[in-house]
């Protein structure tokens, strides 16, 4: 089958890690007899330098025409002083909005070979965890009404958390669907003891849960969730939550894996087309040195195969290859412990391709 994948390499280490993922996708295509057609577009600071805008129209059109989009990272000190709407990071919000992506999927998993990197107690790390955080991406307090005024207490400011039945229903559906192909448990996180928007959140999630009785559904308050993630992360399978709670909890979850260079993400909307990217940034401090860890982007490519192209076996081929390479002791600098020799980005990529073949 022929599939079209739009590539947005971006800035900093973006081009080298996206090239790594392309090499791995080519290896998968060869093994499973597929054809992937890749087309690259500019985004971020690189796009600004060429066109005066971080998200050129041609990039948006190319992404809309593709079956899936793979992004490296954007940003860097060179563009830090630009006005907000021209900064590289504005292109991320722009492309997500243009593609109608409202669900952010962030897996946080501990690899047996990398347990030493986990900052939690050794017995907790030994129990392992494999969590998928499903975060609502386009609603809630980040997009609600806000303002400033002046009252008896001086200047005041306010932001509004507002969610509709439809917004909650569609993100819950993504979570329940994901749980079906995992351990079958959804933990819905809210603050229903205080917030009215959370009480609606809970009602809608319960309605959705009633439609999928084979999935276990548990409610948890966000303050408790923040504690449980460090106390007993193995209790979680899929977590579904609002934009702001998801923002905070997904960063906490990524930290307990101990390695930012390992974590992929997906942003999905109503159709199958999605945007896939590592959770880390453009790492300007190591850009051009050839030492970036490409695994987060390679694992993002696995998510792309699973969620946009429906190629589950092929996705697992990549994930198994990454596990095998880690088990062999291959490490880039960010995941090497003292005494271990670090390989380059290209060497890590070659090791994953070899494991696939
Ligand atoms: P960062 O994630 O780029 O880097 C943080 C640290 O982690 C650095 O020391 C970096 O070298 C290291 N690191 C990150 N990815 C790595 C990898 N794959 N392999 C090895 N080491 C890796 O975060 P930052 O330094 O706060 O931000 C740098 C730039 O990236 C900023 O301009 C920021 O706005 C941007 N940013 C972009 C995205 C995105 O494109 N989605 C996300 C976050 C930050």
């Amino acid at each position: 089958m022929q599939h079209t994948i739009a590539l947005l390499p971006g800035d900093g280490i973006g081009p080298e890690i996206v090239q790594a993922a392309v090499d791995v996708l080519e290896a998968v295509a060869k093994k499973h007899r597929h054809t992937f057609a890749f087309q690259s577009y500019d985004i971020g600071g690189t796009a600004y330098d060429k066109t005066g805008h971080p998200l050129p129209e041609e990039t948006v059109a190319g992404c809309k025409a593709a079956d899936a989009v793979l992004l490296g990272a954007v940003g860097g000190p060179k563009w830090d002083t630009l006005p907000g709407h021209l900064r590289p990071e504005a292109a991320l919000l722009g492309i997500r909005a243009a593609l109608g992506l409202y669900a952010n999927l962030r897996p946080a998993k501990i690899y047996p070979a990398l347990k030493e990197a986990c900052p939690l107690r050794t017995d907790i790390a030994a129990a392992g965890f494999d969590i998928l955080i499903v975060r609502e991406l386009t609603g809630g307090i980040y997009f609600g009404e806000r303002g400033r005024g002046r009252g008896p207490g001086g200047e005041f400011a306010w932001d509004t958390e507002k969610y509709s039945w439809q917004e909650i229903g569609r993100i819950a559906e993504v979570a329940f669907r994901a749980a079906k192909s995992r351990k079958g448990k959804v933990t819905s996180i809210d603050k229903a003891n205080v917030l009215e928007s959370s009480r609606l959140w809970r009602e809608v999630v319960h309605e959705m849960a009633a439609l999928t009785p084979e999935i276990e559904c548990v409610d948890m308050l966000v303050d408790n969730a923040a504690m449980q993630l460090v106390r007993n992360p193995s209790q979680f399978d899929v977590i579904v939550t609002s934009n702001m709670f998801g923002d905070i909890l997904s960063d906490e979850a990524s930290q307990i894996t101990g390695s930012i260079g390992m974590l992929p993400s997906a942003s999905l909307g109503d159709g199958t087309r999605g945007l896939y990217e590592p959770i880390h940034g453009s790492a300007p401090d190591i850009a051009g040195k050839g030492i970036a860890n490409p695994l987060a982007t390679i694992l993002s490519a696995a998510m792309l195969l699973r969620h946009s192209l429906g190629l589950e076996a092929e996705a697992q081929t990549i994930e198994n290859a990454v596990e095998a390479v880690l088990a062999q002791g291959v490490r880039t600098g960010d995941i090497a412990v003292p005494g271990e020799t670090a390989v380059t980005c290209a060497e890590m990529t070659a090791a994953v391709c070899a494991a696939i073949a």
Side-chain angles (χ1 to χ4, degrees), residues 256-280:
I256 60 173
T257 68
S259 39
I260 194 174
M262 296 290 305
L263 299 171
S265 78
S267 299
L268 306 175
D270 278 334
T272 55
R273 188 182 50 231
L275 177 99
Y276 301 84
E277 57 181 313
I279 70 154
H280 60 71

Side-chain angles (χ1 to χ4, degrees), residues 299-312:
L299 291 166
S300 300
M303 293 187 85
L304 181 157
L305 296 179
R306 172 173 295 122
H307 294 287
S308 281
L309 307 189
L311 301 176
E312 177 61 34

Side-chain angles (χ1 to χ4, degrees), residues 13 73-76 89 92 260-261 277 280-286 292-293 334:
I13 60 170
V74 298
E89 294 80 359
L92 295 177
I260 194 174
E277 57 181 313
H280 60 71
S282 60
D285 52 334
I286 57 166
N293 183 348
D334 58 313

